[in-house]
Amino acid sequence: MWENSVQAVLAELSGDEGIRPIPHDDTVSFIADDLVRFRLKKAALSLITSNFPTQLAGLFHIHQADMFGHVGHHRVEIVHVFNRFQTALDWIGVVAREKNEILWKFELPQGGAAVVALPPVLPTKPASDSVLRPAAKTDQDKKTDNDKK
């Protein structure tokens, strides 16, 4: 399952310049938009992955730890959970952890989700362009000001 998932993600995202695969000894993780590092894993109903407890597996959930020179990225796992018979998927989603504590989780919709591009960010104008200014004084205004003196 893991190998098929990784190959599918590699194929699906191959043209996306914002996603970089990061191969390791026997695994692959991905960096999205140079902000988020994610990996694909199988999890239990608790949404905790069943990694063999290697030092590297533990470092993934210690966000301050350097992982192959990639420091400062948010780290999440995209996990799949099988039913008790291991014959169907019960849950697929994104999970963020700090060590063994789940910080947040988000279930992905079944059947996939459509990716919609956000509208481009329009350049902003300086605030001075939109500030209201008092109208120029007319001759009558100037005369009234002089009469007040």
Side-chain angles (χ1 to χ4, degrees):
M1 174 74 175
W2 179 84
E3 290 86 358
N4 289 333
S5 297
V6 169
Q7 290 306 315
V9 169
L10 287 169
E12 187 68 29
L13 301 176
S14 65
D16 189 332
E17 294 179 18
I19 305 287
R20 290 183 323 188
I22 308 295
H24 306 291
D25 297 331
D26 60 348
T27 188
V28 176
S29 61
F30 301 86
I31 296 180
D33 295 330
D34 205 28
L35 294 171
V36 178
R37 182 184 197 123
F38 67 92
R39 64 185 184 175
L40 310 174
K41 298 301 271 180
K42 176 184 174 185
L45 286 173
S46 64
L47 302 183
I48 303 293
T49 57
S50 55
N51 291 322
F52 187 79
T54 65
Q55 182 179 9
L56 184 60
L59 284 177
F60 191 86
H61 300 293
I62 301 173
H63 297 269
Q64 299 81 10
D66 179 5
M67 292 199 69
F68 307 109
H70 299 280
V71 181
H73 296 111
H74 301 283
R75 296 182 192 164
V76 298
E77 292 177 316
I78 299 176
V79 302
H80 61 275
V81 177
F82 285 112
N83 66 10
R84 67 183 187 142
F85 302 111
Q86 303 287 306
T87 57
L89 290 169
D90 270 351
W91 196 86
I92 299 174
V94 183
V95 178
R97 291 177 22 208
E98 179 67 36
K99 299 183 181 172
N100 285 327
E101 179 185 349
I102 293 179
L103 302 173
W104 56 265
K105 62 186 177 203
F106 176 79
E107 184 172 9
L108 297 174
Q110 291 185 358
V115 177
V116 178
L118 296 174
V121 177
L122 300 175
T124 57
K125 296 179 183 178
S128 61
D129 288 356
S130 60
V131 173
L132 296 176
R133 293 182 172 63
K137 291 190 175 189
T138 64
D139 289 336
Q140 181 62 34
D141 294 333
K142 291 177 186 174
K143 183 178 176 193
T144 303
D145 287 345
N146 288 334
D147 290 343
K148 290 180 183 177
K149 291 182 184 177

